[in-house]
Amino acid sequence: MYTVRIGEPDPRFGNMLLEQFGGANGELAAAMQYSIQGINCEDPARKDLLMDIGTEELSHLEVIGTLARMHLNPSKTNRAGAEADPLIAIAGGGGVALVNSMGDAWTADYLKITGELDVDLRSNIAAEARAKIVYERLLNFCDDPGTEDALQFLMTREITHMKAFTLALESLGKDPFTIGEIPPTPGVVDQYFNDSTGEGDDGERDATGPWNQGSGWKMVDSPAFQELARKRF
Amino acid sequence: MYTVRIGEPDPRFGNMLLEQFGGANGELAAAMQYSIQGINCEDPARKDLLMDIGTEELSHLEVIGTLARMHLNPSKTNRAGAEADPLIAIAGGGGVALVNSMGDAWTADYLKITGELDVDLRSNIAAEARAKIVYERLLNFCDDPGTEDALQFLMTREITHMKAFTLALESLGKDPFTIGEIPPTPGVVDQYFNDSTGEGDDGERDATGPWNQGSGWKMVDSPAFQELARKRF
Amino acid sequence: MYTVRIGEPDPRFGNMLLEQFGGANGELAAAMQYSIQGINCEDPARKDLLMDIGTEELSHLEVIGTLARMHLNPSKTNRAGAEADPLIAIAGGGGVALVNSMGDAWTADYLKITGELDVDLRSNIAAEARAKIVYERLLNFCDDPGTEDALQFLMTREITHMKAFTLALESLGKDPFTIGEIPPTPGVVDQYFNDSTGEGDDGERDATGPWNQGSGWKMVDSPAFQELARKRF
Amino acid sequence: MYTVRIGEPDPRFGNMLLEQFGGANGELAAAMQYSIQGINCEDPARKDLLMDIGTEELSHLEVIGTLARMHLNPSKTNRAGAEADPLIAIAGGGGVALVNSMGDAWTADYLKITGELDVDLRSNIAAEARAKIVYERLLNFCDDPGTEDALQFLMTREITHMKAFTLALESLGKDPFTIGEIPPTPGVVDQYFNDSTGEGDDGERDATGPWNQGSGWKMVDSPAFQELARKRF
Amino acid sequence: MYTVRIGEPDPRFGNMLLEQFGGANGELAAAMQYSIQGINCEDPARKDLLMDIGTEELSHLEVIGTLARMHLNPSKTNRAGAEADPLIAIAGGGGVALVNSMGDAWTADYLKITGELDVDLRSNIAAEARAKIVYERLLNFCDDPGTEDALQFLMTREITHMKAFTLALESLGKDPFTIGEIPPTPGVVDQYFNDSTGEGDDGERDATGPWNQGSGWKMVDSPAFQELARKRF
Amino acid sequence: MYTVRIGEPDPRFGNMLLEQFGGANGELAAAMQYSIQGINCEDPARKDLLMDIGTEELSHLEVIGTLARMHLNPSKTNRAGAEADPLIAIAGGGGVALVNSMGDAWTADYLKITGELDVDLRSNIAAEARAKIVYERLLNFCDDPGTEDALQFLMTREITHMKAFTLALESLGKDPFTIGEIPPTPGVVDQYFNDSTGEGDDGERDATGPWNQGSGWKMVDSPAFQELARKRF
């Protein structure tokens, strides 16, 4: 296992680290999402992939937990430390708990598991991208070299996993917009509904781009508004 | 709005429909995920995209809610119907509630919102793929033509959105494995850790594929096991 | 305490009864809402009222719990009974748990406590009305005389409490639309926004009534749509 | 849509604003409660009312979300800002999430929906009173003119809605203490149980008022205590 | 890993098995409780014990997950199977999810972790006793030999762990009623408060036993009632 | 009831006190766990014990709630106080809510209730040990004499209850490792699995003690690793 060393403990930063221990995009969420997808998976090769990465994430849970505990430890006896996270201080005695930086208990509602392999791989690619950016933000608030080393290592592995899941998805050889067996309704599938109406903030003005123009797209002003306008004005 | 008509109400199927009303991959989850990403988005063109699709999903919430209510209505007075979903029958009087098919209250823990545009778009692509497969499974358990029409329409739109989000992501012109600003550690990023060990089930045997072989991959037997094996055997 | 007697146990009905034991409108929710409002209340007379009714609801928790347990008891050994509520059967051995009819753990998110006495009394009037209708629906699915007696008693008391809270609110002598200290903005407060647009279902057609017509009301077509219509059509 | 402008961002105040974005009495709770009641409602005129106000609350969700985001924005890069709400800073990159001021994910457990129109309207009157007092408290902690304008507008509208729901309830012409169809048991319904016993704090002394005296009330010392006293003393 | 084989799949029993996969007393709860206690533990020998058993429970998670999946698999295509657990069928495609038998998402609120070693060991002894009785109840509803073998194995291991935790607690050599450092108040600690008053059900009559009689116990009729009786009667 | 007096209110300490009001090991959790076990209990004498202590804990809920409210009161008008717990300040007007120190709503997921008396008593012994250590930690952060008195009283009573539950368990006269009716598998029950492998932190080195050595224990290196080592090295 990765050996963790830190300099001066920083309870408020330790509290932030809990995002990757017991938070929505953290290591337990990753470990459980991939391992349970693996249990459900009927494709032997990709099942092994899901189990490999699920197991690795579980070992990361221990790394980030150990790191967070080192930073949170003073909250047991130090009042300012305790105010950083009273739940950790009072209920946990300065030890880590399976919660995020705001004390919310980890929940399986974070997980995305459908039993449809290519769908699950897409959920995993997105999950790795989220974990990467969260580690980056932690790094941006950190200047302890030992802590930075651990975070840089964990962040790097998310990119590794993102690559592996992307390649596994591509290796299935499926059309990128075919999901499951039932085809979408032709015609309806190519309509872009221009539905949002506000203008209060920059950017809610109607915009065009490859996502609603060209390549077969048909722009449709939201039917509800058309009807409304017809009636009222 | 899409006008919903059904034949014979089927409370147990109505209960299943709640997955797409108040469930993890349902219409409120989609509407909230995209709209809140939109509120946070600083790119005007893609903010409009997020708001357009967020608004459309909200209109779908009304469609699926109306559909579920029609099927659940008899549970108010019919004991067998009430047993299909006692929460809907007793607490809701046969009306819909913001819960899934097992009565779990909708929670924002379902949402994936990071404030990093390309990461959010990946989460959305995965979300649309999940919503599509859930609608397909509902269709597979349904034989009422009016209900099928509504589900086919809603399912089709998920593919439309999946396309739009994919094209919006591509239009950003970013490298697919570059997330945020801090680069991963060279060397470490190319190692595939062969971590899972069980063999009880088919498929946990070590497997290779493009996700761990070729293209710069370096296979590494899990360091923990190497160390363990060195010590014990 | 009210003594509960039942005839033949009915596990599926026992499961429905859990709505009033560990459900959103059940006896614990009532007991906690009023007692905690009472702890926070600085008006001695109405604090006593809140504590009186809070304490009574707590005694009802024991009545409904005993009743539910009698009906759920067979689920410990009887497979059909166990299928009515596997959580009660497998985790609880046929005993009650603080959950609703769908197995959701009771949560303080059900409670409405603001520390503003007249606001809290309004929340309590509404809570009693909800509890009354839930007991009525349980009675409609019940034909065991002993169970009916208990439910009729509990239902009756909700009306008693609803009266007491209404009279306590009136006795404060406040204007019905004055809440707190800061007045609403004149003019803006009298505008009714005609915002909903759908017509797919009966009743979403624009309607008028005392809630938007006469008595100083000024009907306003939703500003967003006006602006939209101006721009597009 | 209401256009929001603020002066100096204040992340700790932005965090407080989240109460009305993703909190128990916030705009999403209001929007969902009324819209779903509307989907279930079989009275066309009041269905339109529920949909009108539900839709307006949804537009307020965007106003309060935009306002909160402006105040929370600095938490992405500023450590003190990040400590105000580490979940927003680390997981959300300074953008809003559907959580309250303590980071709790929004949950449908906040909603009160029974499918019984007059009961639902009572829940809505109480909900508006709660939302009003919460906005008032936010105003009391605020001295930025742009923010105050937006909060004053949103607060005012809650009074408007409270009026509309009250008038809609009155227009049903029902007796205020008749809920549903089954009448309460005469005699039992008029008894006030004097149940609370503590004296430790002012106000738990037995008190009388219109809620337990006169108008047919019959005061009853809690039966459990009477029996206890008979046995022991 | 333990290899699982079953005869005829039984989706309703598969649903019950989820109690030990994603339920309150299940394998993930055990694995996380012990492993996180281990991360926090400063006693090297007992830290190893916590990690050993935590790791074993994690391997059991895979066993029970594989077993549940075999039983739930038909729910993907079979309507009766799907009605046993619509969440598994519709959202999960017949694969397992981290939920209990009523579809509640696993939550870290199930865990008991205090960072005080002897307290944690007591929580673990109780946790193992609970897991044992849950496996026994599952066995009582099961007649498939392969499934019985797996459940008997898993149930047996809970007794093993219960023994190990008990011996580890005893090996600390602490007085059984000394917790932490601050002693209880002499006199107050020996008083047994006779507080419950109801008589509606057998067993609420006042009872005596070693828990309130002899060995220094002093029986005290609840002070609140004494005072009340003095005043009122 | 215990009369609470405090000196200077300290909102941040009041926030910590919420752990014992609406937290996982707090007074409501204790009251509900024992009372509901009591409702389910078929042994009249120990049912009375469970009800006695359940009722006492409920009276403690009022004590700790009153104490917390006194400390939190200034958060209604004082900005620094409000930042200690914005949920209490903004949504609660400075009054207590049924939440813990991080604002998490109380949930019945905290409770351990199995309907098996000796198992429940073990859960209660552990619960009392946890409550004791939490009160001790609160005392360690407190220097207000009135608050200390109340906490010392409440802490003392947890030891009283721990004793009573222990003596009640012993009075059942059951073998300490016999739970339920089905015996564990001989042989398997005596094996200690040496499963954890890491060495990164002190204490994960393999350790021996009475929990895996002597008294019939048979040490087994984790089967998975044995198999793995056989194959790979």
Side-chain angles (χ1 to χ4, degrees):
Chain A
M1 197 185 83
Y2 190 98
T3 299
V4 179
R5 289 187 216 297
I6 70 162
E8 191 69 26
D10 176 350
R12 287 201 178 268
F13 188 69
N15 183 43
M16 290 177 184
L17 287 172
L18 291 175
E19 279 301 319
Q20 288 305 85
F21 185 67
N25 303 307
E27 299 292 352
L28 183 64
M32 286 298 118
Q33 181 160 310
Y34 312 151
S35 301
I36 296 176
Q37 290 173 354
I39 289 175
N40 292 331
C41 183
E42 295 175 353
D43 169 331
R46 286 163 198 85
K47 181 184 189 114
D48 183 55
L49 165 70
L50 290 163
M51 286 301 191
D52 277 344
I53 302 188
T55 305
E56 184 182 346
E57 302 287 21
L58 211 51
S59 75
H60 294 176
L61 183 70
E62 201 176 334
V63 177
I64 191 80
T66 303
L67 190 64
R69 176 180 163 275
M70 288 173 174
H71 282 290
L72 288 165
N73 210 26
S75 68
K76 186 180 183 174
T77 50
N78 175 284
R79 170 81 188 244
E83 288 176 4
D85 192 329
L87 179 68
I88 293 292
I90 302 299
V96 289
L98 208 47
V99 297
N100 70 3
S101 65
M102 296 292 271
D104 303 306
W106 191 90
T107 162
D109 286 325
Y110 296 148
L111 307 183
K112 302 297 180 190
I113 299 169
T114 65
E116 187 84 0
L117 182 54
D118 62 308
V119 175
D120 283 355
L121 290 169
R122 279 177 182 85
S123 294
N124 299 357
I125 293 165
E128 294 292 346
R130 292 192 300 266
K132 199 281 176 185
I133 199 72
V134 172
Y135 275 122
E136 175 163 327
R137 289 171 186 161
L138 288 169
L139 274 166
N140 285 337
F141 282 121
C142 175
D143 52 13
D144 173 66
T147 306
E148 284 176 326
D149 278 0
L151 294 176
Q152 174 73 30
F153 170 76
L154 294 168
M155 186 187 76
T156 294
R157 298 303 299 164
E158 310 301 18
I159 295 291
T160 306
H161 302 159
M162 200 184 166
K163 252 184 223 180
F165 287 132
T166 303
L167 293 166
L169 175 60
E170 288 172 0
S171 73
L172 291 172
K174 295 191 61 174
D175 173 83
F177 301 123
T178 298
I179 304 290
E181 304 287 334
I182 309 179
T185 307
V188 177
V189 77
D190 298 322
Q191 299 179 357
Y192 182 92
F193 289 0
N194 182 18
D195 265 329
S196 69
T197 60
E199 300 229 5
D201 240 19
D202 262 347
E204 298 183 69
R205 235 161 254 146
D206 290 345
T208 53
W211 55 84
N212 60 13
Q213 212 174 41
S215 316
W217 283 115
K218 181 166 180 308
M219 173 81 77
V220 181
D221 261 344
S222 160
F225 297 131
Q226 291 191 42
E227 185 182 347
L228 180 78
R230 215 167 29 240
K231 281 192 316 173
R232 291 211 186 138
F233 308 96
Chain B
M1 198 185 79
Y2 189 98
T3 300
V4 179
R5 291 188 214 296
I6 69 161
E8 189 69 24
D10 175 350
R12 288 199 179 270
F13 188 69
N15 183 44
M16 291 178 184
L17 287 172
L18 292 175
E19 279 302 319
Q20 287 305 85
F21 184 68
N25 303 307
E27 299 293 353
L28 183 65
M32 287 298 119
Q33 182 160 308
Y34 312 150
S35 301
I36 297 176
Q37 290 173 354
I39 289 176
N40 293 329
C41 184
E42 296 175 353
D43 170 333
R46 287 163 197 85
K47 182 184 189 114
D48 182 55
L49 165 70
L50 290 163
M51 287 302 192
D52 278 344
I53 303 190
T55 305
E56 183 182 346
E57 301 287 19
L58 212 51
S59 75
H60 293 177
L61 183 70
E62 200 176 334
V63 177
I64 191 81
T66 303
L67 188 64
R69 177 180 163 275
M70 288 173 174
H71 282 290
L72 288 164
N73 211 27
S75 68
K76 187 178 184 176
T77 49
N78 174 285
R79 169 81 188 243
E83 289 177 4
D85 193 328
L87 179 68
I88 294 293
I90 302 298
V96 289
L98 209 46
V99 296
N100 71 3
S101 65
M102 297 292 272
D104 304 304
W106 192 89
T107 162
D109 287 325
Y110 295 148
L111 307 183
K112 303 296 179 192
I113 299 168
T114 66
E116 188 83 1
L117 181 56
D118 61 310
V119 174
D120 283 355
L121 290 170
R122 281 176 181 85
S123 294
N124 298 357
I125 294 165
E128 294 291 347
R130 291 193 300 268
K132 199 281 176 184
I133 199 73
V134 172
Y135 275 123
E136 174 164 328
R137 289 170 185 161
L138 288 169
L139 274 166
N140 285 336
F141 281 122
C142 175
D143 51 14
D144 173 66
T147 307
E148 283 176 328
D149 278 0
L151 295 176
Q152 175 73 30
F153 171 76
L154 295 168
M155 186 187 76
T156 293
R157 297 303 299 164
E158 311 300 17
I159 295 292
T160 306
H161 303 160
M162 199 183 166
K163 253 184 222 180
F165 288 132
T166 302
L167 293 166
L169 175 60
E170 288 173 1
S171 73
L172 292 172
K174 295 193 59 173
D175 172 82
F177 302 122
T178 297
I179 304 289
E181 304 288 333
I182 309 179
T185 308
V188 178
V189 76
D190 298 322
Q191 299 179 356
Y192 182 92
F193 289 179
N194 182 18
D195 264 328
S196 69
T197 61
E199 301 228 5
D201 241 18
D202 264 347
E204 299 183 64
R205 234 163 253 145
D206 290 346
T208 54
W211 56 84
N212 60 13
Q213 215 175 38
S215 318
W217 283 115
K218 183 165 178 309
M219 172 81 77
V220 180
D221 261 343
S222 159
F225 297 133
Q226 289 191 44
E227 182 183 348
L228 179 78
R230 216 169 30 242
K231 282 191 317 173
R232 292 211 186 138
F233 308 96
Chain C
M1 198 185 83
Y2 190 98
T3 300
V4 179
R5 289 187 217 298
I6 69 162
E8 190 69 25
D10 176 349
R12 285 200 180 269
F13 187 69
N15 182 43
M16 289 177 185
L17 287 172
L18 291 176
E19 279 302 320
Q20 287 305 84
F21 185 68
N25 302 308
E27 300 292 351
L28 184 65
M32 287 297 119
Q33 181 160 308
Y34 311 151
S35 302
I36 297 176
Q37 289 173 354
I39 290 175
N40 292 331
C41 184
E42 295 175 354
D43 170 330
R46 285 163 197 85
K47 182 184 189 114
D48 183 55
L49 165 70
L50 291 163
M51 287 301 190
D52 278 343
I53 302 189
T55 305
E56 184 182 346
E57 301 287 21
L58 212 51
S59 75
H60 293 177
L61 183 70
E62 200 175 334
V63 177
I64 190 80
T66 303
L67 189 64
R69 176 180 162 273
M70 288 173 174
H71 281 290
L72 288 164
N73 211 26
S75 67
K76 187 180 183 173
T77 50
N78 174 285
R79 171 79 189 246
E83 288 176 5
D85 192 328
L87 179 68
I88 293 293
I90 302 298
V96 289
L98 209 47
V99 296
N100 70 4
S101 66
M102 296 293 271
D104 303 305
W106 191 90
T107 162
D109 287 325
Y110 296 148
L111 307 182
K112 302 297 179 191
I113 299 169
T114 65
E116 188 83 359
L117 182 55
D118 62 307
V119 175
D120 283 355
L121 289 169
R122 279 178 181 85
S123 294
N124 298 357
I125 294 165
E128 294 291 346
R130 292 193 300 267
K132 199 282 177 185
I133 199 72
V134 172
Y135 275 123
E136 175 164 327
R137 289 171 185 161
L138 288 169
L139 274 166
N140 285 337
F141 282 122
C142 175
D143 52 14
D144 173 66
T147 306
E148 284 176 327
D149 278 1
L151 295 175
Q152 174 73 30
F153 171 76
L154 295 167
M155 186 187 77
T156 293
R157 298 303 299 163
E158 310 301 18
I159 294 292
T160 306
H161 303 161
M162 199 183 165
K163 254 183 220 180
F165 287 132
T166 302
L167 294 165
L169 175 60
E170 287 172 1
S171 73
L172 292 172
K174 297 191 59 173
D175 172 84
F177 302 123
T178 297
I179 304 289
E181 305 288 334
I182 309 179
T185 307
V188 177
V189 77
D190 297 322
Q191 300 180 354
Y192 182 92
F193 289 178
N194 182 18
D195 264 329
S196 69
T197 60
E199 300 229 5
D201 240 17
D202 263 345
E204 299 182 65
R205 233 162 254 145
D206 289 346
T208 54
W211 56 84
N212 60 14
Q213 213 174 40
S215 316
W217 284 116
K218 179 165 182 309
M219 172 82 76
V220 181
D221 262 343
S222 160
F225 298 131
Q226 291 191 40
E227 182 182 349
L228 179 78
R230 216 168 28 240
K231 281 191 317 172
R232 290 210 188 140
F233 307 99
Chain D
M1 199 186 79
Y2 190 97
T3 300
V4 179
R5 292 189 214 295
I6 69 163
E8 191 69 24
D10 176 348
R12 288 200 179 268
F13 189 68
N15 183 43
M16 289 177 185
L17 287 172
L18 291 176
E19 279 302 319
Q20 287 305 87
F21 184 68
N25 303 307
E27 298 294 352
L28 183 64
M32 286 298 119
Q33 180 160 308
Y34 312 150
S35 302
I36 297 177
Q37 290 173 354
I39 290 176
N40 293 329
C41 184
E42 296 174 354
D43 169 332
R46 287 164 195 84
K47 182 184 188 114
D48 182 54
L49 165 69
L50 291 163
M51 288 300 193
D52 278 344
I53 302 189
T55 305
E56 183 182 346
E57 302 287 19
L58 211 53
S59 76
H60 294 176
L61 183 71
E62 199 175 336
V63 177
I64 191 79
T66 303
L67 189 63
R69 175 179 164 275
M70 288 172 174
H71 281 291
L72 287 165
N73 210 26
S75 67
K76 185 178 184 174
T77 49
N78 175 285
R79 171 80 188 244
E83 288 176 4
D85 193 328
L87 179 68
I88 293 294
I90 303 298
V96 290
L98 209 47
V99 297
N100 71 3
S101 65
M102 296 292 272
D104 303 304
W106 192 91
T107 162
D109 287 324
Y110 296 148
L111 307 183
K112 303 297 179 191
I113 299 167
T114 66
E116 189 83 0
L117 181 55
D118 62 310
V119 175
D120 283 356
L121 290 170
R122 281 176 180 85
S123 294
N124 299 357
I125 294 165
E128 294 291 347
R130 292 192 300 268
K132 198 281 176 184
I133 199 72
V134 172
Y135 274 122
E136 175 164 328
R137 290 172 184 159
L138 288 169
L139 274 166
N140 285 337
F141 282 122
C142 175
D143 52 13
D144 173 66
T147 306
E148 284 176 327
D149 279 0
L151 295 175
Q152 175 73 31
F153 170 76
L154 294 168
M155 187 187 75
T156 293
R157 297 304 298 164
E158 311 299 18
I159 295 293
T160 307
H161 302 160
M162 198 183 167
K163 252 183 222 179
F165 288 132
T166 302
L167 293 166
L169 175 60
E170 288 171 1
S171 73
L172 291 172
K174 295 191 60 173
D175 172 83
F177 302 123
T178 297
I179 304 290
E181 304 288 332
I182 309 179
T185 307
V188 178
V189 76
D190 297 323
Q191 299 180 355
Y192 182 91
F193 289 179
N194 182 17
D195 264 329
S196 70
T197 63
E199 299 230 6
D201 240 18
D202 263 347
E204 299 183 66
R205 235 163 254 143
D206 290 346
T208 54
W211 55 85
N212 60 13
Q213 213 175 40
S215 317
W217 283 115
K218 181 166 180 309
M219 172 81 77
V220 181
D221 262 344
S222 159
F225 297 132
Q226 290 191 42
E227 182 184 350
L228 179 78
R230 216 169 28 241
K231 280 191 317 173
R232 292 211 185 139
F233 308 97
Chain E
M1 198 186 82
Y2 190 98
T3 301
V4 178
R5 289 187 217 298
I6 69 161
E8 189 70 25
D10 175 351
R12 287 201 179 266
F13 188 68
N15 182 44
M16 290 179 185
L17 287 171
L18 291 176
E19 279 302 319
Q20 288 305 87
F21 185 67
N25 302 305
E27 299 293 351
L28 184 65
M32 286 299 118
Q33 181 160 308
Y34 311 151
S35 301
I36 296 175
Q37 290 173 353
I39 289 175
N40 293 331
C41 184
E42 294 175 355
D43 170 332
R46 286 163 196 84
K47 182 184 189 114
D48 183 54
L49 166 69
L50 291 163
M51 287 301 192
D52 278 344
I53 303 188
T55 305
E56 184 181 345
E57 301 287 20
L58 212 52
S59 75
H60 293 176
L61 183 71
E62 199 176 334
V63 177
I64 191 79
T66 304
L67 189 63
R69 177 182 162 273
M70 288 173 174
H71 282 290
L72 288 164
N73 210 26
S75 67
K76 186 177 183 174
T77 50
N78 175 285
R79 170 82 188 243
E83 289 176 4
D85 193 329
L87 179 68
I88 293 293
I90 302 299
V96 290
L98 209 46
V99 295
N100 70 3
S101 65
M102 296 292 272
D104 304 305
W106 191 90
T107 161
D109 287 324
Y110 296 149
L111 306 184
K112 303 297 180 188
I113 299 168
T114 66
E116 188 83 0
L117 181 55
D118 62 308
V119 175
D120 283 356
L121 290 169
R122 280 177 182 85
S123 294
N124 299 357
I125 294 165
E128 294 291 347
R130 291 192 301 267
K132 200 281 177 185
I133 199 72
V134 172
Y135 274 123
E136 175 164 328
R137 288 170 185 161
L138 288 169
L139 274 165
N140 285 337
F141 281 122
C142 174
D143 52 13
D144 173 66
T147 306
E148 283 176 328
D149 278 1
L151 294 175
Q152 174 73 29
F153 171 76
L154 294 167
M155 185 187 76
T156 293
R157 297 304 298 164
E158 310 301 18
I159 295 293
T160 305
H161 302 160
M162 198 183 167
K163 253 183 221 180
F165 287 131
T166 302
L167 294 165
L169 175 60
E170 288 172 1
S171 74
L172 292 172
K174 297 192 60 173
D175 173 83
F177 302 122
T178 299
I179 303 290
E181 304 288 334
I182 308 178
T185 308
V188 178
V189 76
D190 298 323
Q191 298 179 356
Y192 182 92
F193 289 179
N194 183 18
D195 264 328
S196 69
T197 60
E199 301 229 5
D201 240 19
D202 262 347
E204 299 184 66
R205 234 160 254 146
D206 289 347
T208 55
W211 55 84
N212 61 12
Q213 213 175 43
S215 315
W217 283 115
K218 182 163 179 309
M219 173 81 77
V220 181
D221 262 344
S222 159
F225 297 133
Q226 289 191 45
E227 183 184 347
L228 179 77
R230 218 171 24 241
K231 282 190 317 174
R232 291 210 185 139
F233 308 98
Chain F
M1 199 186 81
Y2 191 98
T3 300
V4 178
R5 291 189 213 296
I6 70 161
E8 189 69 26
D10 176 349
R12 288 201 178 267
F13 188 69
N15 183 43
M16 289 178 185
L17 287 171
L18 291 176
E19 280 300 320
Q20 287 305 85
F21 185 67
N25 304 306
E27 298 294 352
L28 183 65
M32 286 298 119
Q33 181 160 308
Y34 311 151
S35 302
I36 297 176
Q37 289 173 355
I39 289 176
N40 292 330
C41 184
E42 295 175 353
D43 169 332
R46 286 163 197 85
K47 181 183 189 114
D48 182 55
L49 166 69
L50 290 163
M51 287 301 193
D52 278 343
I53 303 188
T55 305
E56 185 182 344
E57 302 287 20
L58 212 51
S59 74
H60 294 176
L61 183 70
E62 199 175 334
V63 177
I64 191 78
T66 303
L67 190 63
R69 176 181 163 274
M70 288 174 173
H71 282 290
L72 288 165
N73 210 25
S75 66
K76 187 179 183 175
T77 49
N78 174 284
R79 170 81 189 244
E83 288 177 3
D85 192 328
L87 179 68
I88 293 293
I90 303 298
V96 289
L98 209 47
V99 296
N100 70 3
S101 65
M102 296 291 272
D104 304 304
W106 192 91
T107 162
D109 286 325
Y110 295 149
L111 307 183
K112 303 296 180 190
I113 298 169
T114 66
E116 188 84 359
L117 181 55
D118 62 308
V119 174
D120 282 355
L121 290 170
R122 280 177 181 84
S123 294
N124 298 357
I125 294 165
E128 294 291 347
R130 291 192 300 267
K132 199 278 176 187
I133 200 71
V134 172
Y135 275 122
E136 176 164 327
R137 289 171 185 159
L138 288 169
L139 275 166
N140 285 337
F141 282 122
C142 175
D143 52 13
D144 173 66
T147 306
E148 283 175 328
D149 279 0
L151 294 176
Q152 175 72 29
F153 170 77
L154 294 168
M155 185 188 75
T156 293
R157 297 304 298 163
E158 311 300 18
I159 295 293
T160 306
H161 302 160
M162 198 184 169
K163 253 183 220 179
F165 288 132
T166 303
L167 293 165
L169 175 61
E170 288 172 0
S171 73
L172 291 173
K174 295 191 60 173
D175 173 82
F177 302 123
T178 298
I179 303 291
E181 304 287 333
I182 309 179
T185 307
V188 177
V189 77
D190 297 323
Q191 299 180 355
Y192 182 93
F193 290 179
N194 183 17
D195 264 329
S196 70
T197 61
E199 300 228 5
D201 239 19
D202 262 347
E204 298 183 67
R205 236 161 253 143
D206 290 346
T208 55
W211 56 83
N212 61 13
Q213 212 174 41
S215 315
W217 283 116
K218 183 164 179 308
M219 173 81 77
V220 181
D221 262 343
S222 160
F225 296 134
Q226 289 192 44
E227 185 183 345
L228 179 77
R230 219 170 24 243
K231 281 191 318 176
R232 290 209 188 142
F233 307 99

